[in-house]
């Protein structure tokens, strides 16, 4: 939940136009969801079904690259979750976290804080592009 929490905190803190979007904190486990809700997510839910249902209607999905790889993140990403996110028409911003037997070649080894700053910049760029 630390990554989701940090993303939500930064998006809320740096949003140039408050209220322009709703943030859904949907975690694979209750600790992750709780952390995102405490960080300011507008809505929260936990588990496979909420991920599948909400990925259909999402405009932007943010998370580690493992959310589109079946059985990644220590097995928390089920094949159904990976398929739902991967096939969603949402714009996906995937953070290259090189853990759990996944290595994204070509990505610089940067601290998570730098990646999260880039996430916020890209979210706001995409929102401004569609407004």
């Amino acid at each position: 939940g630390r990554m989701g929490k940090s993303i939500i905190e930064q998006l809320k803190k740096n949003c140039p136009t408050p209220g322009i979007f709703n943030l859904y904190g949907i975690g694979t486990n209750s600790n992750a969801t709780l952390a995102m809700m405490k960080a300011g997510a507008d809505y929260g839910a936990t588990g496979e079904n909420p991920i599948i249902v909400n990925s259909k209607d999402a405009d932007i999905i943010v998370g580690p690259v493992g959310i589109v790889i079946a059985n990644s993140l220590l097995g928390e990403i089920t094949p159904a979750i990976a398929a739902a996110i991967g096939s969603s028409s949402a714009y996906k911003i995937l953070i290259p976290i090189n853990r759990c037997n996944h290595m994204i070649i070509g990505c610089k080894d940067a601290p998570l804080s730098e990646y999260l700053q880039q996430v916020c910049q890209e979210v706001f760029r995409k929102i401004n592009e569609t407004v």
Side-chain angles (χ1 to χ4, degrees):
R2 279 184 305 160
M3 187 181 310
K5 175 183 182 269
S6 296
I7 291 167
I8 289 173
E9 285 174 343
Q10 286 192 33
L11 287 172
K12 287 285 192 172
K13 176 182 167 189
N14 297 311
C15 182
T17 311
I20 194 167
F21 56 81
N22 289 314
L23 290 172
Y24 288 70
I26 304 178
T28 56
N29 62 65
S30 57
N31 289 336
T33 303
L34 181 61
M36 289 185 280
M37 291 301 298
K38 285 183 177 180
D42 299 301
Y43 304 97
T46 302
E48 181 181 73
N49 198 59
I51 293 169
I52 292 168
V53 169
N54 287 283
S55 65
K56 293 175 188 173
D57 297 324
D59 295 315
I60 300 172
I61 296 174
V62 177
V65 70
I67 63 175
V68 294
I69 302 172
N71 301 313
S72 66
L73 303 181
L74 301 176
E76 288 195 16
I77 304 301
T78 65
I81 289 173
I85 293 172
S87 62
S88 170
S89 62
Y91 185 73
K92 294 163 205 71
I93 302 171
L94 301 175
I95 303 164
I97 303 300
N98 294 321
R99 281 189 233 153
C100 301
N101 290 327
H102 299 110
M103 170 61 85
I104 310 301
I105 297 300
C107 293
K108 65 180 182 174
D109 189 20
L112 181 59
S113 60
E114 185 176 324
Y115 286 136
L116 297 180
Q117 184 179 24
Q118 291 175 27
V119 165
C120 290
Q121 291 170 353
E122 183 62 14
V123 167
F124 297 138
R125 186 199 66 75
K126 186 64 176 172
I127 289 172
N128 288 330
E129 177 183 289
T130 59
V131 173

